Structures are given as C-alpha cells and as structure tokens.
Amino acid sequence: MNGPVVVGVGASPSSLAAVETAAREAERRGVGLQLAHAVVWPADPVAPGVPPWDPDGAGLSASARGALAEAERHARRVAPGLPITSEVLVGEPGTVLEAESRAASLTVVGGRRQGRFGGLPFGSVAGRLTAQGRCPVLVVRGTTGRGGPVVLASDGASPVARAAAEFAFAEAAQRAAELLVLHGGGRDGAAVVAELRRTHPDVVVRHRRIRGRGRAVVAGASADAQLAVVGVPAHAGLTDTLTGSLGRALLRHARCTVAVVPAEPPRH
C-alpha cells in the first residue's frame, strides 16, 4: 500500500517520539506523513453564541493548532523534505486513528509502559489499533532511531505468522539490519522463515529457541533491538488479539518499538 504514514498527535513526550519515528518511516517508504490530532467533542449542549471550536472555553482550536505545529517541527527536524499534512478530527483518538488507518500504509502511536499489557494497555489508543486497525501499527517505545536487529516472534506457520514474518524480513532488508527469529513452543515457523530467506538473501538471520515462559529472554532479546514484530488476526476483538504465547510475551515485555501486523484469517 502506498498510503501515507499516519501518526497520532498529542502533547505527551511519547507522542512526539512517535511523530519523529513516523517521519523516519515515511521518508524511508517514500510516502507522505499525516499528522492526526483528535478532539473529543463535549457531551453537554453548547451555549448560544459560543464559538463552535471552543464550546467549553478550553481553547480547543488553539490547543489543536499548537499540538500540530509542534509535531510538524519535530517531523521536519528528522525529515526536512517530507510532504506533511495535518488534520484535526473529532472523536476518540482510537476511533479516529482506526478510521484513518484504512487508507494508510502504516499507523504510528506512542506507547506507555503501564497497564495490563505493559507498554500496550488494552483500552488505550495503541490497544484499540492493534485490535481493530487496518494496517501495520508501530507502538513506539524505548530509544528511537537506534540500530540493532529486527526481532520476530515466530509462533507457527499460520497466515498471521506468515504476515508478521514477511513484514519483519522486509523491514530488516530496508534497514540493512540482522533478523533475530524467536521460536516458541507448538507449531514451528521454520519453513516460513526458510522460504523468506530465499527471497531476501541479503538478510542475515539468527534463530533463538525460547523455552518456558521466556519473559527474561524476550526482554533481553529486544533490549538492543530497533524493532520487534508480532502478528495479530485482522479485525479481532481485544480478547482475541494476542493469539501466540511468544507474541504475547513480546508485546508485554519488549524494550523497543513494536510493529503489530494484522492478517486476514483463513476462510473455512
């Protein structure tokens, strides 16, 4: 897909880190960057004569313009010549970004290390997008713009696992990075990896078998990585999203940016 890279814009440091990451990704992919700022409309009726952009007197218009201007400054800092568009969209951030992801090649959000799944709390913007987004989602964590390997959670040979593996190989090739494949229990994805190695001969691949719960190993493997990749079923409910035990561990404990790749399940 040649759509833009879409990034959610807020006022937090994690949001600005996501903007810089999104700018690098858009430049690397040769597409534009779309800055999306969501405004939640007040539920109470707006009094007569009150400007529509400022129904509660909180300066929504100025706040939105300021957030987008600051985000564009950060994006220009890392990708000066990048085509950038800005939009203020009415709605909950997760709902807005889910809709925008339908025409995007990649959606980027900041990740906070809190909540039920560590840096990917369910109910957050990141949690909603990984469950319902229509394109790969980058959840930005840790130090951005660093080197290191791309880490793939290989949880079998399903369409979901294949989509994640294809994305991981493509990212490793584009970044000239090594690919570290983590293998868990159950059905092994070695055949998928072997097939993709033939189509990406320049990618150096290392394998590591994870035994038991593997929390410390997963965290350690991602400590110096630039990206971790996991697959999810497309359009899944929140309770169905994290299907593989290894992918679940990587989402919970990865110390780097995580790419969540949706794939359509097979039709029976």
Side-chain angles (χ1 to χ4, degrees):
M1 182 182 291
N2 294 321
V5 172
V6 174
V7 59
V9 173
S12 67
S14 66
S15 171
L16 293 176
V19 167
E20 293 183 0
T21 296
R24 294 187 187 97
E25 293 296 327
E27 185 176 53
R28 193 157 54 81
R29 287 168 165 77
V31 299
L33 175 66
Q34 178 184 337
L35 306 174
H37 180 79
V39 173
V40 180
W41 204 254
D44 296 332
V46 178
V50 173
W53 258 113
D54 195 15
D56 59 356
L60 291 180
S61 179
S63 175
R65 288 197 304 268
L68 288 170
E70 179 69 8
E72 184 167 348
R73 283 193 291 271
H74 277 258
R76 296 284 182 207
R77 189 178 303 163
V78 299
L82 188 67
I84 299 176
T85 59
S86 300
E87 286 191 277
V88 178
L89 302 165
V90 177
E92 293 289 343
T95 303
V96 163
L97 289 176
E98 178 192 338
E100 294 301 300
S101 74
R102 297 173 186 177
S105 58
L106 183 73
T107 304
V108 183
V109 293
R112 297 172 297 172
R113 299 200 65 83
Q114 63 181 37
R116 180 179 173 188
F117 282 94
L120 196 67
F122 277 6
S124 70
V125 176
R128 182 183 180 94
L129 277 174
T130 56
Q132 300 290 341
R134 308 303 176 92
C135 68
V137 178
L138 280 192
V139 183
V140 177
R141 296 182 189 162
T143 303
T144 59
R146 67 186 183 187
V150 172
V151 177
L152 168 66
S154 179
D155 269 317
S158 69
V160 171
R162 172 175 284 276
E166 289 174 348
F167 185 91
F169 267 91
E171 288 296 307
Q174 289 179 2
R175 298 164 185 254
E178 180 182 79
L179 178 62
L180 173 59
V181 182
L182 304 180
H183 297 275
R187 293 182 301 171
D188 195 78
V192 172
V193 172
E195 177 186 336
L196 291 171
R197 288 190 74 169
R198 291 192 290 271
T199 59
H200 295 84
D202 294 334
V203 175
V204 176
V205 180
R206 289 192 295 119
H207 297 267
R208 185 177 300 176
R209 174 72 61 179
I210 305 297
R211 302 189 183 280
R213 299 180 67 180
R215 172 177 176 175
V217 177
V218 166
S222 63
D224 63 347
Q226 58 179 290
L227 181 69
V229 181
V230 299
V232 298
H235 324 311
L238 286 176
T239 57
D240 301 323
T241 299
L242 304 179
T243 56
S245 60
L246 187 54
R248 185 180 296 112
L250 201 55
L251 280 169
R252 287 178 176 176
H253 307 301
R255 297 177 181 174
C256 63
T257 293
V258 180
V260 184
V261 182
E264 294 290 346
R267 298 184 182 275
H268 299 291

